Amino acid sequence: MQLASNKGLTARNDNPLFWSLRNAFVRGDTNGLDRELRYSFQSFLLRNKFSKSVTASHKKLADLRYPYDWFPATRAMQRTIHLHVGPTNSGKTYHALKALENAETGIYAGPLRLLAHEVFARFTAKGKPCALITGEEQRIPEGTDRYFASCTVEMAPLNKRVDVAVIDEIQMIADQERGWAWTQAVLGLQARELHLCGEERAVDIIKAMCARMGDKCIVHTYKRLNPLRTMQESLQGDFRKLEKGDCVVSFTRIGLHTLKAGIEKITGRRCAVVYGSLPPETRAQQAALFNDPNNDYDFIVASDAIGMGLNLEIKRVIFEAVTKYDGGGHRVLTVPEVRQIGGRAGRYRTAAQDIKDNHTDTTSRPTSKNAPAGMPASAGLVTTLDDEDLGVVQAAFTSEAEPIKAAGILPPTFIIEQFYSYFSEDTPLSFVLARMREMAKLSEEFQMCSIVPLMEVADLIQEFPMSIQDRLIFLTAPANFHGTGQKQVLKVLARCISENRTAHLLDIEGLDLDILDIERGAADVNNTQYLQRLEELHKSITLYLWLSYRYQGVLTSQHLAFHVKSLVEEKIKDFLDNLSFTVEGRKAKRQQTRLLVERHRKLEEKILGDEPSNEAELVQEGPGAWSEEGHEEALMEDEAEAEDPVGLPDAIREVVSDDRLPRPAGEDVRT
């Protein structure tokens, strides 16, 4: 603390403990600080038990400055890396996918399950054998061993040599949760040609990495194919001002379905809905209904997943709000997020049209369906629902995001295994991970991604005897611990794998299958409880499926799990389809979130001041809560959203506006 206050030393390299504690508080509030204090104290107690020689070995293994050397087979290749950069709707991804289509073998790696499905459908429609590989689903073509693979980026096969690989949304290499997956793919994919698509702010970091790897780097810069403009006024909360071809953006599934109900109620016209968690067939159907000018589906509500490349013919993007809940708290959208989502206005063509017509010209005539009066057919417009948010959107389109300074990284499993071998078998894996994080050396091009979620999983399964290899598999499982149900399911599955005992789905303790027998609106279960139980069951089933691909002899109910998962999704869909809408309720919800964000900003400013950061900081780069399987939008932000509040309670208004922090003991600031 003296180093920070007297000498201004707050960077990770200069003052690691202070940096860790402050970062934990900023990102995770008091709960995050509590976890960090416990891990730091544990490390303090145990560090003096190691001899100098063992400590020296630890430091050597924790030297992560040369991650290029982790992939010797890839380093033996001479790759050509094509970096396609530009704003949305500039054709960069189109050109990369064309290179992939013209190859004999290849891989597509994207940030969302919906994009993996879209590329899988595109290649399959053109008669090209293609595998779909995501965390919970694997479809492998039969009768051939030469096929393309469409994956979420974490699942990209690093041991498969191919002609061409495409990595989408390369700017997410800086994401604080998932950036390591993009870094791993760039360093490790064995492709003679590697095509990276994304924003121009990624150019410097990619060129620096290519220089270190010895790969040839060719930068292709694209300009937007049509104009994009921010409007000078909002819709002032009035859905009657919507025009044909409008897209209203919201950030939770409850928000999307509530808006759909409200738009149809107020305008008397049909509204499609598209988000990442929809089944691929439903998503394609909804997109087709909106894109078809010859029906009565005039509007669409969509999640911020549209900013990740979903093809829709949108005239105007309207932000319902410019704040979102990202799993740690409410925050204002970043400049790149606003620009990427808003940039989907005025799209030229859809992927479905490209497949149907087999076009090769990205500058083909734009559709005139959504042309606003007095403007070119392809012009895109961006605005907000409320006046209070318009300034944020306008400012985002008049400023440029800073270049990416550091790529996210996590130590690979083989290094963690070696590091773990220096400790006794009863040493908690969470301590080993904390020790590695504490001692890690990084070059200026890399920054450690958040390791706390891995430590939480490690603590949950610590009591079960299993190999380090099994423990590391669990660390990468799609676990989300906002509720208690999935913790119990994870522990049951870990016990079964530890004992090599068959885990039939119906015998798993803590799996809330009873919720399937309860109908929506039951007297003994309120909306929040009903939806939370369904969501927890869905996450638990997803966890079971993910592990079933890795422990097929233990988790034997994969087909039943897929069936139960579909039943849960039907019940969630039924709930969402029957949400009610009140103008006052949604308006109050938006105002409440603005107050919470402003309250957090004031608190952060009070504690941290306005001092500039003296080292690169990883940030959230995309949609959704990243602990969600498929990395898509959350079901709801908080309990109030499920209950459809009709106003902002005075008690909440007082809390978020008061400089004091009145709260019940044990609850964090956001609560």
Side-chain angles (χ1 to χ4, degrees):
M1 294 299 174
Q2 288 178 343
L3 287 175
S5 59
N6 297 340
K7 298 186 178 181
L9 299 179
T10 59
R12 184 179 185 273
N13 292 334
D14 299 326
N15 198 347
L17 179 59
F18 179 87
W19 184 88
S20 297
L21 294 174
R22 186 174 72 165
N23 248 28
F25 178 72
V26 170
R27 293 178 176 177
D29 219 292
T30 52
N31 288 338
L33 181 59
D34 175 69
R35 282 193 301 267
E36 192 63 37
L37 281 168
R38 284 189 285 110
Y39 289 130
S40 297
F41 186 62
Q42 187 181 50
S43 177
F44 167 74
L45 290 177
L46 294 177
R47 70 175 61 159
N48 62 355
K49 296 185 180 296
F50 300 112
S51 65
K52 289 184 178 180
S53 60
V54 169
T55 299
S57 299
H58 288 177
K59 288 181 178 180
K60 184 176 181 180
L61 283 173
D63 188 345
L64 309 179
R65 290 175 296 174
Y66 311 106
Y68 318 98
D69 298 339
W70 298 345
F71 307 96
T74 309
R75 295 291 76 77
M77 300 178 63
Q78 180 60 53
R79 301 185 302 174
T80 299
I81 296 182
H82 294 269
L83 182 55
H84 304 267
V85 296
T88 53
N89 201 14
S90 60
K92 55 185 183 294
T93 305
Y94 174 91
H95 285 92
L97 288 177
K98 279 298 179 185
L100 183 60
E101 286 181 17
N102 294 330
E104 292 292 325
T105 57
I107 297 168
Y108 170 84
L112 298 173
R113 188 173 51 191
L114 73 90
L115 293 180
H117 271 282
E118 192 172 280
V119 172
F120 169 76
R122 174 176 179 156
F123 276 61
T124 302
K126 294 190 174 185
K128 296 179 180 291
C130 186
L132 175 67
I133 306 174
T134 67
E136 65 174 47
E137 185 177 13
Q138 296 187 19
R139 303 184 198 175
I140 308 297
E142 298 180 356
T144 179
D145 58 356
R146 288 179 64 82
Y147 53 82
F148 294 87
S150 184
C151 325
T152 46
V153 68
E154 289 89 345
M155 301 297 293
L158 303 180
N159 58 349
K160 181 179 181 181
R161 185 162 291 203
V162 296
D163 297 322
V164 173
V166 174
I167 305 175
D168 212 352
E169 306 297 346
I170 189 60
Q171 72 278 356
M172 287 189 65
I173 202 169
D175 186 77
Q176 65 179 2
E177 300 290 343
R178 297 177 66 202
W180 64 269
W182 273 260
T183 302
Q184 173 181 270
V186 171
L187 298 179
L189 277 173
Q190 297 183 38
R192 282 183 281 275
E193 278 189 21
L194 184 60
H195 292 256
L196 313 179
C197 309
E199 299 174 18
E200 196 165 356
R201 61 198 178 96
V203 169
D204 291 345
I205 188 67
I206 295 299
K207 288 174 72 174
M209 292 171 67
C210 288
R212 294 288 187 95
M213 293 183 290
D215 292 329
K216 182 179 181 181
C217 183
I218 302 174
V219 179
H220 307 269
T221 303
Y222 301 83
K223 293 184 178 180
R224 187 176 168 89
L225 299 174
N226 58 349
L228 181 69
R229 307 176 190 179
T230 55
M231 297 180 64
Q232 296 305 307
E233 59 182 22
S234 73
L235 267 61
Q236 298 174 329
D238 188 356
F239 288 146
R240 291 172 297 184
K241 294 183 179 180
L242 287 173
E243 301 172 4
K244 188 176 181 67
D246 280 353
C247 173
V248 182
V249 176
S250 188
F251 303 113
T252 65
R253 281 175 272 169
I254 282 185
L256 291 168
H257 283 264
T258 303
L259 286 174
K260 171 181 163 65
I263 289 170
E264 292 183 340
K265 175 182 176 181
I266 291 172
T267 66
R269 294 146 78 183
R270 303 297 299 275
C271 181
V273 58
V274 166
Y275 52 91
S277 303
L278 278 175
E281 298 79 12
T282 305
R283 190 168 57 239
Q285 178 193 48
Q286 291 288 305
L289 288 171
F290 173 72
N291 288 334
D292 185 355
N294 300 316
N295 62 30
D296 58 349
Y297 279 81
D298 291 349
F299 318 118
I300 191 168
V301 291
S303 72
D304 47 344
I306 64 166
M308 290 289 164
L310 189 62
N311 289 301
L312 296 164
E313 294 182 32
I314 297 168
K315 176 190 72 175
R316 184 169 61 169
V317 168
I318 299 157
F319 287 85
E320 187 209 9
V322 293
T323 59
K324 66 178 291 189
Y325 184 80
D326 63 6
H330 289 89
R331 63 173 177 83
V332 177
L333 298 176
T334 63
V335 169
E337 285 173 330
V338 173
R339 294 172 70 101
Q340 190 164 39
I341 297 168
R344 294 298 157 180
R347 294 280 293 174
Y348 260 73
R349 301 182 57 81
T350 66
Q353 288 175 315
D354 185 58
I355 294 171
K356 179 179 178 181
D357 302 336
N358 199 25
H359 273 267
T360 57
D361 180 12
T362 61
T363 61
S364 56
R365 182 179 60 86
T367 176
S368 60
K369 165 196 171 187
N370 298 328
M375 279 196 177
S378 58
L381 298 172
V382 187
T383 188
T384 59
L385 190 59
D386 296 328
D387 288 338
E388 294 92 329
D389 298 326
L390 186 58
V392 173
V393 172
Q394 291 174 332
F397 281 94
T398 56
S399 58
E400 293 294 332
E402 291 290 323
I404 293 172
K405 298 178 181 179
I409 200 172
L410 281 178
T413 55
F414 74 88
I415 288 183
I416 297 177
E417 282 186 46
Q418 293 179 38
F419 199 81
Y420 185 81
S421 67
Y422 281 90
F423 299 83
S424 61
E425 291 184 0
D426 60 345
T427 304
L429 179 57
S430 61
F431 168 72
V432 176
L433 294 171
R435 174 82 168 166
M436 174 166 275
R437 181 187 61 173
E438 178 186 359
M439 306 187 75
K441 284 186 177 181
L442 302 170
S443 69
E444 61 182 13
E445 296 159 13
F446 299 100
Q447 182 69 284
M448 187 79 82
C449 285
S450 175
I451 208 168
V452 170
L454 308 186
M455 296 160 76
E456 292 178 344
V457 175
D459 281 338
L460 273 174
I461 65 172
Q462 185 60 43
E463 63 184 277
F464 307 112
M466 61 176 69
S467 68
I468 180 60
Q469 291 81 10
D470 286 334
R471 293 188 188 280
L472 293 176
I473 287 175
F474 270 87
L475 295 193
T476 57
N480 186 309
F481 300 140
H482 290 304
T484 59
Q486 198 177 8
K487 292 182 181 180
Q488 185 177 359
V489 171
L490 180 69
K491 295 182 74 169
V492 170
L493 295 176
R495 181 184 293 111
C496 292
I497 290 169
S498 172
E499 298 172 356
N500 198 26
R501 174 167 49 87
T502 301
H504 194 280
L505 190 70
L506 300 180
D507 298 330
I508 295 176
E509 183 181 352
L511 201 61
D512 187 13
L513 296 174
D514 291 342
I515 191 63
L516 295 176
D517 295 325
I518 300 176
E519 296 300 322
R520 172 179 49 84
D524 57 338
V525 180
N526 64 37
N527 285 347
T528 301
Q529 292 173 339
Y530 182 75
L531 201 56
Q532 283 179 336
R533 288 175 64 181
L534 284 173
E535 185 177 27
E536 281 207 10
L537 178 57
H538 190 272
K539 291 175 180 177
S540 296
I541 295 296
T542 298
L543 175 63
Y544 184 96
L545 285 169
W546 191 92
L547 289 169
S548 72
Y549 284 107
R550 291 143 182 90
Y551 298 99
Q552 295 182 5
V554 176
L555 309 183
T556 58
S557 305
Q558 189 179 83
H559 291 296
L560 178 60
F562 273 115
H563 177 65
V564 173
K565 180 171 175 285
S566 67
L567 294 178
V568 176
E569 289 169 350
E570 286 176 12
K571 280 192 167 288
I572 291 176
K573 181 180 182 300
D574 175 67
F575 181 94
L576 296 176
D577 286 344
N578 287 277
L579 285 170
S580 60
F581 172 84
T582 62
V583 174
E584 296 82 5
R586 289 306 297 181
K587 184 176 181 180
K589 175 66 181 174
R590 296 193 295 272
Q591 179 62 9
Q592 174 186 344
T593 305
R594 291 189 197 102
L595 290 170
L596 287 169
V597 169
E598 178 63 15
R599 177 68 188 91
H600 185 76
R601 185 193 66 78
K602 287 182 178 179
L603 178 64
E604 187 174 309
E605 185 179 276
K606 182 177 180 180
I607 294 175
L608 304 182
D610 56 358
E611 61 184 81
S613 174
N614 55 354
E615 72 174 54
E617 187 83 35
L618 291 182
V619 295
Q620 194 83 356
E621 287 290 329
W626 296 121
S627 51
E628 294 268 333
E629 171 58 23
H631 317 294
E632 291 132 5
E633 55 288 313
L635 183 57
M636 56 184 171
E637 288 183 353
D638 50 37
E639 296 182 3
E641 191 170 26
E643 294 295 341
D644 287 327
V646 295
L648 181 63
D650 291 338
I652 295 179
R653 191 183 305 276
E654 289 174 6
V655 170
V656 296
S657 61
D658 192 355
D659 282 338
R660 297 168 297 164
L661 291 177
R663 60 187 186 272
E667 293 191 12
D668 66 16
V669 174
R670 292 183 303 279
T671 304

